Amino acid sequence: MTDTAQENRPLIAGNWKMNGLKSALAEATAVRDALKPDPGTPEVMICPPATLLVPLAELAAGSPLAVGGQDCHAAASGAHTGDISAEILRDAGASAVIVGHSERRADHGEVDRIVRDKASAAHRAGLTAIVCIGETRGQREAGLTLGVVGRQLAASLPEGVTDANTVIAYEPVWAIGTGLTPSTEDVAEVHALIRKDLETRFGAAGRRIRILYGGSVKPSNARELLALPNVDGALVGGASLKAEDFLAIVRATA
Ligand code: PGA
């Protein structure tokens, strides 16, 4: 098993969730303006609500800021009112899409099989799939975390995963939006399990697949979380809405 904290280029992805009027584009502009086109710096992405994908992609064009969707349907097109496909996200300027976020799993009954099909759809459209997994508070308290995360990982990833087309986000459900985070030991333990499983299934690529931590990442805790072995970046919710906080997390990778 390899400690990849220093090997893989970090990714800091902001998940705006159902937040973001047109006025929020000013925050994205401020993020863009602070980034340098230097491969030695982390990759930075914002995943806005679908309505802001096109203007955000336009303002990010030619800059290091990447744009991602928050969900996609498994099909490429068709009669699925209210849904959005990976192909449409790509056409709007996205290079990635979050799939299997715990809010989608909880609010929309998305089980691992659905998440796997969505990740496949992302790959089909040429998008990077950011596949989310993580235990609930009850599962953590019952000592089931490693089993739950291992099963979700195995069942949520399709064949054809590479380090270029897939990122894993470990997000304990009880840490999302609560201000609570697991201990650094607990984060490191889960990330080590994910790394081992990825290496077992995908060989050398499994070492290079980035594993993000998500759940109440903020400027005050980012540095210690991002320094942990096998933590290759962060998926950031609330703290990604303000450029100042988000950029402080980006700088914490240094
Ligand atoms: P949070 O959300 O940073 O607000 O806890 C993280 C996420 O859900 O991706």
Side-chain angles (χ1 to χ4, degrees), residues 15 17 101 103 171 175-178 214-217 235-239:
N15 173 12
K17 309 191 181 185
H101 190 282
E103 288 150 16
E171 299 205 303
I176 294 175
T178 58
S216 295
V217 177
L235 183 55
V236 185

Side-chain angles (χ1 to χ4, degrees), residues 15 26 51 125 194 221:
N15 173 12
T51 49
I194 295 171
N221 63 15

Side-chain angles (χ1 to χ4, degrees), residues 180-246:
L180 303 172
T181 50
S183 69
T184 51
E185 291 77 16
D186 287 344
V187 173
E189 181 184 39
V190 177
H191 279 240
L193 168 93
I194 295 171
R195 177 68 65 211
K196 180 167 71 60
D197 286 1
L198 291 173
E199 287 184 6
T200 302
R201 183 162 167 195
F202 302 110
R207 209 168 309 135
R208 296 188 301 267
I209 294 171
R210 289 177 291 185
I211 309 172
L212 313 184
Y213 169 77
S216 295
V217 177
K218 46 197 174 206
S220 59
N221 63 15
R223 193 167 295 278
E224 69 172 354
L225 288 165
L226 291 165
L228 293 171
N230 296 303
V231 174
D232 303 309
L235 183 55
V236 185
S240 71
L241 297 172
K242 287 270 162 265
E244 192 186 334
D245 290 345
F246 191 51

Side-chain angles (χ1 to χ4, degrees), residues 95-97 99 118-131 157-168 202 205 208-210:
S95 59
V97 59
V99 294
K118 291 182 174 207
S120 271
H123 297 163
R124 180 190 66 222
L127 299 180
T128 298
I130 302 175
V131 181
L157 292 183
E159 297 309 312
V161 161
T162 70
D163 52 301
N165 70 16
T166 303
V167 170
I168 309 300
F202 302 110
R208 296 188 301 267
I209 294 171
R210 289 177 291 185

